[in-house]
Amino acid sequence: MLIRTEIGVDAAGIDSLLRRCFPTQAEAELVQQLREDGLLTLGVVATDDEGQVLGYAAFSPVSLQGEDRQWVGLAPLAVDESVRQQGIGKQLVYEGLDTLNEFSYAAVVVLGDPAFYGRFGFEPAARHQLQCKWLGSEAAFQVYKLADDAFVGAQGQIEFAEPFNRFD
């Protein structure tokens, strides 16, 4: 299994993976729209020896109260059912966090299972007076600090990239 930044030739495999892994086409359409709008900050893929995409993590810009603070959102994260429980999701997240850190991003937000993301160091966003627009998501909305000063003066509502609004 190779974990790396996505390249153009991966797009069709990513689309296929997302359509297999989720009950609707929303995630595949979201990634396609982020890519078309130039809002895909980072995509990390897991491929087999033949280059088939078996895992994917997308990162796109988010803002805090309308301000760009060099934060990104992690969504979606997908691993093909045939290779789940092998640590591929973990490798995708870590590779993404490492790459974002190298490029001086300050923080990552995610809306997901606290037990899963907590293993990587994500913590409840509410702890930092941060929230997102989706009601009832307080427990699932989490943050990960890449820069030491990421949360200094940071509180309020996190806004995901515009394509996320199409899939409410």
Side-chain angles (χ1 to χ4, degrees):
M1 193 70 52
L2 177 65
I3 308 291
R4 60 171 172 74
T5 300
E6 76 170 276
I7 55 176
V9 73
D10 295 323
I14 292 166
D15 187 72
S16 176
L17 172 75
L18 295 174
R19 292 178 190 280
R20 287 192 312 272
C21 289
F22 292 99
T24 71
Q25 297 180 14
E27 284 80 4
E29 292 171 7
L30 171 66
V31 169
Q32 186 174 39
Q33 193 64 56
L34 288 167
R35 190 177 287 118
E36 287 175 11
D37 293 350
L39 295 171
L40 197 57
T41 303
L42 174 66
V44 181
V45 294
T47 61
D48 65 13
D49 294 339
E50 287 80 43
Q52 181 182 358
V53 176
L54 296 175
Y56 183 66
F59 298 86
S60 57
V62 299
S63 61
L64 173 61
Q65 301 289 109
E67 179 186 355
D68 178 4
R69 297 179 60 104
Q70 288 297 99
W71 291 19
V72 295
L74 165 55
L77 173 64
V79 176
D80 189 84
E81 191 172 3
S82 68
V83 291
R84 287 189 187 151
Q85 305 301 318
Q86 295 180 28
I88 295 169
K90 175 179 160 182
Q91 292 177 60
L92 290 166
V93 172
Y94 278 135
E95 181 67 23
L97 294 175
D98 286 347
T99 301
L100 292 164
N101 191 44
E102 287 175 24
F103 286 105
S104 300
Y105 283 89
V108 180
V109 299
V110 70
L111 192 61
D113 179 8
F116 179 77
Y117 289 101
R119 295 184 294 182
F120 306 110
F122 281 85
E123 59 182 333
R127 190 175 293 164
H128 300 282
Q129 290 77 49
L130 297 166
Q131 63 274 344
C132 64
K133 71 177 189 169
W134 294 287
L135 297 175
S137 65
E138 292 80 13
F141 190 55
Q142 300 157 82
V143 293
Y144 181 90
K145 178 173 68 170
L146 291 168
D148 289 338
D149 62 351
F151 300 139
V152 174
Q155 60 182 14
Q157 184 159 309
I158 300 291
E159 295 289 339
F160 284 75
E162 196 282 325
F164 282 86
N165 297 326
R166 301 176 194 165
F167 302 100
D168 285 349

